[in-house]
Amino acid sequence: MVAIIKMTEHYHRYRSLPALLLLLIALSFSQQQVKAECSASDNDFENDPAIQTMNFDIGYGPQEFRAYVEPDVSTFYEAPSESMSRRKPKHPGWAAKFINMSNKRLRLFWDPKNGRPGSPMKVLEPFEAGGTASFPSHQFYVTPFEDESKILHRWSITPPQAVYYYDPITVPGDEEATQTNLDNLSAQDFESYRRHVDNRDFSKHYFNFTGREYLSMYPRNKPSHKIWRADYFGQEHWVTTRETHFVEHPDLKELRSIDSREGRNRVLREDEPRLLQQYRTQEPFLNMTLKVLSCAPRAFEIKNFLSKTEVDHIMYLTTGLDLHRSTTAGEKSGTELDQTRNTRTSLNTWVYREKDQIIDTIYRRAADLLRIDEAMMRQRSKDELPKVSSKGTIAEALQLVHYDVGQEYTAHHDFGYSGMFSDPKQPQRFATVLLYLNEPEVGGETEFPRWVNAETREGLAVEPEIGKAVLFYSQLGDGNMDDWSQHAALPVKKGEKWLMNLWVWDPVYH
């Protein structure tokens, strides 16, 4: 749980960090139990100026939707409105989502355009969807599930379009044929098709209002978690946590695994000692500073998120763990895509929160950073957070990744592509926290190739630093996926690279 949070809209007003820390220390010794607080109220988080009211009508009368509208790039520099122009990124990558508006199973293929058979991408279930990161002019096609030789429809990726529909029901210019197709649908299929038509109509309004494609499926709720503001480059927010740094390594006999079934028994009150408190700093809390690196996508760096002792412990845990060649998110065992891909050539393994008290502390600290109750990031008792329907965690296990010289992960998104009916809540990755465990001699930066700025066409390259964290969001404040959150792990040119990924989901982990 967050102890005290200090958020500044204009960080340059606070010139004395020691003075701020003294104030926080004084507050920490008050007799009352400290609750999660913030100098910006919940309404300040809610009233993000980038969220604007969109009026639309898709056949049911006038409606309103609170949509994310990317601010003028000039504001990212605190410059007068429209005084600067956005630079077109050199990287041409683009999201590509394919929606099956039929009641038949389809196979989706990438077309190499060399006369050879296409590469299988995904099975599109009836009235469901799938997608990938792609490039302009790339081509895809769909076939019946049972006959890969029969091409039903082709697409060529043409930005700014990112969503492509296979609709065999509506026949443009032929109302009679369309009605015949509709009459042949069962009542359930007709309802599924109608909802897809609504989604397509809504997406047109959304694009006209925001300039972005709607990569979710309408309707999708806005994120249930808070999103830090990123109004301008260099903006800073302050967060404090009781989950202070480990500065001495505990005796191995004192480290133990945690039973995930403990639920409410894992709750630590603000006035209670932390786990293995005797091995931590003497300060009552840790101050974390989030500095805005990018406003669109929203990305922040947090230096010294991990202590040297914690980094050493994580590295120690790698001994005896089996590092497997990484697979790209969304791939399933036993398919052609489960084979080694050129997109990712690193090695990885997984470390669960319940591994020991130090790993548990890292999760608690990350929860404070994200302004999320730590109980959301573990299994909960039946009576914990009763308003939350699911009792499962919204956080994945920590993914430990190693890159050697020449290894990389090309530009990709962390989110997937929701269908309409597989899960009505449309669970997706919400935020990513990258934890750097070492510093390659050359290369290995984390790049956001499509960040919005007015200075360069090059990507934003974030250099690894031991103990530093980078936070970025895969979702926008209106519930849409953020196409600009595409990112890459650049090749290591000299040395090696170790890091951890922490993925947090919204609204549930699926």
Side-chain angles (χ1 to χ4, degrees), residues 435-490:
L435 306 174
Y436 296 107
L437 306 179
N438 80 323
E439 300 171 7
E441 294 181 60
V442 183
E445 299 90 348
T446 300
E447 182 187 44
F448 296 91
R450 297 166 62 197
W451 69 304
V452 178
N453 75 98
E455 299 174 86
T456 179
R457 296 186 62 202
E458 301 295 333
L460 172 66
V462 183
E463 293 188 3
E465 296 178 25
I466 296 177
K468 182 170 79 174
V470 167
L471 162 66
F472 65 91
Y473 295 96
S474 292
Q475 295 185 23
L476 300 171
D478 62 5
N480 192 15
M481 302 300 107
D482 188 357
D483 195 359
W484 299 177
S485 67
Q486 195 172 20
H487 56 286
L490 297 183

Side-chain angles (χ1 to χ4, degrees), residues 98-102 106 142 152-153 155 164-168:
F98 304 92
I99 299 178
N100 178 11
M101 294 178 65
S102 80
L106 305 177
V142 287
L152 298 173
H153 195 82
W155 298 280
Y164 300 85
Y165 303 87
Y166 172 65
D167 180 3

Side-chain angles (χ1 to χ4, degrees), residues 80-96:
S81 178
E82 299 183 357
S83 62
M84 307 178 77
S85 298
R86 173 180 176 172
R87 297 296 301 275
K88 181 179 180 180
K90 183 180 294 184
H91 180 78
W94 208 258

